[in-house]
């Protein structure tokens, strides 16, 4: 009975958030539905269109484990899932598997996204046994030459081995999770390999997730940006003038549903803000995540987003996902 009550409570909370978003109700009624936690903003690769890869973070570090637990505990009755990454490589954190186990103990789903370079036998086994639900492993090419165009410093073979190791331990322990996805950023360097990547995913018994690259979220010279843009318009978020295609009518849901906790306790208004231009406040022992979530400053951000989105810099570089709806829109042009 308690399990049913908790599930119902989360569903009601989620509907509150959707109503607040749709009708612009301010202050917000509900609590976060999704928790984004950044274990670290450090990375072991140097991707050319990444804030971390280009060393553009104002400061870097690892999340304190007590801060992590505090962030999860205060919203555990409302959230359905934790995304355990943001700007860095989550597996660099020494307590990452303990973090996954802690979230799992709360009966909450956990997803991570990784470049897979640190997944050895021990790590793969712990990821399987500690309750991880989903894992995205970035592989942006069907061979080392193409792969390293974006994943600078990375090994294609290590990423493939990571998938094989996770599948090995899933079979060994006869479990279904974590579900494994290949994250494939479609660029001008690899779009000719889409069919090869589809075959690779099938051979590895995983799911391929194609994502279009974003090139306008950070200062980047035009030549570099253009070199990564796909030639096939169906795989690009941009038009011929480097403007983001806008076709979503439902508006943005992130500040109404996602709570974003950076490694140092900073609460970002949006998870699509790599330069941290909209930090609402910082968690302290006295000032909690929920205090910030329902604060006047956060509510003012939501209000501005609802009524004056075009003037918000962080929104100008936010691009919609690449999916069937996007393809239909682009092909009409």
């Amino acid at each position: 009975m308690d399990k049913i009550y908790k599930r119902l409570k989360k569903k009601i909370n989620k509907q509150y958030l959707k109503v607040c978003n749709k009708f612009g109700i301010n202050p917000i009624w509900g609590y976060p539905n999704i928790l984004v936690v950044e274990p670290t903003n450090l990375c072991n690769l140097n991707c050319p269109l990444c804030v971390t890869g280009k060393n553009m973070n104002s400061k870097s570090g690892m999340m304190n484990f007590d801060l992590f637990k505090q962030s999860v505990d205060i919203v555990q009755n409302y959230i359905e899932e934790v995304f355990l990454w943001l700007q860095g490589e989550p597996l660099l954190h020494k307590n990452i598997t303990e973090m996954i186990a802690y979230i799992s103990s709360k009966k909450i789903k956990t997803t991570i996204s990784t470049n897979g370079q640190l997944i050895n036998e021990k790590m793969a086994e712990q990821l399987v046994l500690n309750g991880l639900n989903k894992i995205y492993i970035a592989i942006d090419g069907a061979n080392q030459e193409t792969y390293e165009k974006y994943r600078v410093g990375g090994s294609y073979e290590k990423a493939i081995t990571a998938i094989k190791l996770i599948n090995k331990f899933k079979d060994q322990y006869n479990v279904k999770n974590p579900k494994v996805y290949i994250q494939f950023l479609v660029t001008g360097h690899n779009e000719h390999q889409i069919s090869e990547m589809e075959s690779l995913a099938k051979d590895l018994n995983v799911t391929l997730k194609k994502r279009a690259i974003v090139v306008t979220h950070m200062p980047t010279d035009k030549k570099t940006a253009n070199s990564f843009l796909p030639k096939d318009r169906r795989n690009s978020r941009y038009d011929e003038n480097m403007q983001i295609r806008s076709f979503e009518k439902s508006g943005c849901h992130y500040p109404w549903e996602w709570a974003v906790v950076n490694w140092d306790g900073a609460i970002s208004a949006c998870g699509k803000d790599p330069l941290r231009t909209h930090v609402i406040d910082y968690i302290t022992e006295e000032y909690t995540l929920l205090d910030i979530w329902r604060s006047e400053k956060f509510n003012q951000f939501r209000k501005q987003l609802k009524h004056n989105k075009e003037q918000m810099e962080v929104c100008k570089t936010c691009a919609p996902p690449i999916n069937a709806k996007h393809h239909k829109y682009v092909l009409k042009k």
Side-chain angles (χ1 to χ4, degrees):
M1 195 68 183
D2 185 54
K3 186 177 180 181
I4 295 174
Y5 170 74
K6 288 181 178 179
R7 190 180 301 166
L8 181 61
K9 185 177 181 179
K10 290 183 179 184
K11 286 184 178 296
I12 292 172
N13 177 65
K14 188 174 182 178
Q15 291 308 309
Y16 276 159
L17 299 174
K18 289 183 179 298
V19 169
C20 288
N21 186 2
K22 183 176 181 179
F23 296 104
I25 296 172
N26 207 337
I28 195 168
W29 287 348
Y31 299 96
N33 173 244
I34 298 291
L35 179 64
V36 180
V37 174
E38 180 181 61
T40 179
N41 65 345
L42 295 166
C43 191
N44 51 344
L45 300 186
N46 297 286
C47 302
L49 294 176
C50 174
V51 169
T52 300
K54 299 300 288 184
N55 296 314
M56 295 177 66
N57 295 311
S58 59
K59 58 179 180 176
S60 302
M62 301 278 182
M63 177 174 280
N64 178 278
F65 195 65
D66 288 336
L67 171 61
F68 161 75
K69 290 193 292 184
Q70 179 190 353
S71 301
V72 173
D73 289 349
I74 201 163
V75 294
Q76 63 180 315
N77 293 326
Y78 307 102
I79 57 173
E80 295 180 334
E81 189 169 1
V82 176
F83 296 154
L84 204 50
W85 83 95
L86 194 56
Q87 297 305 324
E89 168 52 51
L91 300 189
L92 282 171
H93 199 291
K94 65 178 182 179
N95 300 121
I96 191 65
T97 54
E98 289 93 338
M99 289 178 172
I100 293 168
Y102 189 79
I103 298 166
S104 180
S105 71
K106 307 285 186 180
K107 308 301 180 185
I108 299 168
K109 295 178 181 178
T110 313
T111 299
I112 66 170
S113 180
T114 172
N115 56 45
Q117 303 297 293
L118 301 175
I119 298 179
N120 52 24
E121 291 257 349
K122 181 180 179 181
M123 175 66 76
E125 186 173 24
Q126 288 179 328
L127 292 175
V128 170
L129 292 179
N130 285 21
L132 184 65
N133 294 90
K134 297 178 187 176
I135 182 169
Y136 290 84
I137 298 178
I139 306 179
D140 308 311
N143 52 47
Q144 179 65 30
E145 181 183 4
T146 307
Y147 167 86
E148 66 185 6
K149 291 285 187 183
Y150 190 74
R151 301 291 162 184
V152 178
S155 165
Y156 170 80
E157 287 302 328
K158 281 186 178 180
I160 297 297
T161 299
I163 293 175
K164 291 178 178 179
L165 286 173
I166 291 172
N167 284 340
K168 168 189 168 181
F169 286 109
K170 284 172 65 176
D171 290 341
Q172 180 176 318
Y173 292 105
N174 193 28
V175 293
K176 294 182 179 180
N177 289 332
K179 293 181 174 62
V180 182
Y181 299 84
I182 291 177
Q183 176 184 279
F184 180 60
L185 281 180
V186 184
T187 72
H189 302 294
N190 64 20
E191 59 185 327
H192 64 288
Q193 294 183 334
I194 290 178
S195 60
E196 291 180 66
M197 292 301 297
E198 290 171 341
S199 297
L200 175 65
K202 185 176 181 181
D203 292 343
L204 293 171
N205 195 30
V206 299
T207 302
L208 180 69
K209 287 288 186 180
K210 292 182 289 184
R211 303 190 188 282
I213 198 159
V214 179
V215 300
T216 54
H217 62 298
M218 56 180 274
T220 308
D221 66 90
K222 192 172 183 180
K223 183 178 179 181
T224 300
N226 282 329
S227 72
F228 282 97
L229 287 179
K231 307 301 183 290
D232 187 335
R233 291 190 307 152
R234 292 172 299 177
N235 296 319
S236 178
R237 300 178 192 241
Y238 302 88
D239 62 21
E240 59 276 6
N241 297 315
M242 286 288 288
Q243 297 299 308
I244 292 174
R245 294 189 172 99
S246 179
F247 63 94
E248 295 283 0
K249 295 181 179 180
S250 58
C252 176
H253 67 91
Y254 296 117
W256 280 269
E257 297 182 25
W258 292 25
V260 181
V261 186
N262 293 275
W263 70 271
D264 57 353
I267 304 301
S268 292
C270 177
K272 309 294 183 180
D273 183 19
L275 293 173
R276 289 174 49 158
T277 57
H278 290 281
V279 169
I280 301 299
D281 217 322
Y282 288 77
I283 294 175
T284 66
E285 290 185 6
E286 297 78 26
Y287 198 45
T288 69
L289 169 57
L290 289 188
D291 291 330
I292 299 170
W293 176 258
R294 305 194 77 171
S295 68
E296 177 64 21
K297 187 175 180 181
F298 209 154
N299 281 319
Q300 283 301 316
F301 178 88
R302 296 183 184 103
K303 184 177 180 180
Q304 184 181 0
L305 179 61
K306 202 71 179 172
H307 301 291
N308 200 17
K309 181 180 177 181
E310 294 74 16
Q311 300 303 314
M312 302 180 73
E313 289 299 321
V314 68
C315 299
K316 292 178 182 178
T317 59
C318 184
I322 296 299
N323 51 30
K325 183 178 179 181
H326 174 87
H327 285 169
K328 184 177 179 182
Y329 170 84
V330 172
L331 291 173
K332 282 182 178 180
K333 297 295 178 180

